[in-house]
Amino acid sequence: TLSQNRTTAQTSSRGALRGLETPRAIASIEHERENPKQNMAPSLQLLIIAYTTLLQRATALRPPPQVLVVSGSDSGGGAGMQADIKTCAALGAFACSAVTALTAQNTKGVHGVHGVPPDFIEAQLDAVFDDLAPAAAKTGMLATPDVVAAVADRLAAARVPLVVDPVMVSAHGDALVEPDTVAAIRERLLPLAAVLTPNAREAGLLL
């Protein structure tokens, strides 16, 4: 009979999808039992719910895209690498990193800067590319021509889309790097950039 066929289909569907039941699916089954005339295709309804559940789980299990952040550390957390990592996380990406400089700073100002040697920056980049697979990269503070060259060489070899934030002039107009570093950024890094994000003063230096 139609009623028997419906019961058999329901039992078969539940057996095939065991472990995927959700409160919503269970409630749907109970509603179907109590109101058989209101549900002409209960097995189809259950399959749709199960498919939706599987799709949600697959999306949740998909690894987030990896983004390589190459920039200086801001101890105040408002800029530099800390801001880049927060942005990646907010947009659903996984940030890996290579630190180019350490700063002692807060909302009142910068109290000290310690540059990271180029060979150690190279070591960080090599470690990332040896194990991870960044889908894109973003550069920030690169304080010397040697640092620019080291970063440019590794990113050129990696062939990943690159966002270049040429940190050269502060918001107050203070120069943050020497002219030879500006030239290195213009000559070595800009040709690799897919996206360039200078402020107005930095754009003037790069022209």
Side-chain angles (χ1 to χ4, degrees):
T1 66
L2 180 60
S3 177
Q4 291 173 331
N5 289 340
R6 179 183 291 124
T7 301
T8 300
Q10 173 186 310
T11 302
S12 176
S13 297
R14 291 194 70 186
L17 299 169
R18 187 173 305 280
L20 295 176
E21 294 92 337
T22 64
R24 181 181 175 187
I26 295 171
S28 175
I29 294 168
E30 296 302 327
H31 179 76
E32 171 205 328
R33 288 175 176 171
E34 297 172 3
N35 305 275
K37 293 182 180 181
Q38 296 180 19
N39 296 277
M40 299 305 294
S43 59
L44 178 60
Q45 183 182 18
L46 180 60
L47 284 171
I48 290 173
I49 293 172
Y51 174 78
T52 302
T53 302
L54 280 172
L55 186 61
Q56 291 172 342
R57 290 185 181 181
T59 301
L61 293 174
R62 183 185 306 157
Q66 299 170 0
V67 177
L68 171 60
V69 177
V70 186
S71 60
S73 171
D74 173 8
S75 58
M81 178 166 292
Q82 283 77 359
D84 291 336
I85 291 174
K86 292 173 186 177
T87 300
C88 289
L91 296 175
F94 176 85
C96 42
S97 63
V99 181
T100 61
L102 305 174
T103 68
Q105 64 177 301
N106 52 30
T107 59
K108 298 179 181 179
V110 178
H111 306 288
V113 179
H114 179 72
V116 176
D119 59 346
F120 192 72
I121 296 173
E122 292 175 349
Q124 294 177 77
L125 293 171
D126 289 342
V128 169
F129 286 117
D130 183 58
D131 182 49
L132 304 174
K138 191 255 183 190
T139 59
M141 173 62 129
L142 305 176
T144 68
D146 289 342
V147 169
V148 174
V151 171
D153 286 344
R154 290 304 191 275
L155 293 181
R159 297 176 179 270
V160 296
L162 176 63
V163 176
V164 173
D165 180 10
V167 180
M168 301 182 297
V169 183
S170 74
H172 301 290
D174 300 320
L176 301 175
V177 297
E178 298 297 327
D180 56 350
T181 302
V182 175
I185 291 173
R186 184 192 303 115
E187 296 167 8
R188 297 296 309 275
L189 207 58
L190 261 58
L192 305 177
V195 178
L196 182 64
T197 63
N199 61 32
R201 294 183 178 89
E202 291 163 345
L205 290 175
L206 294 172
L207 292 176

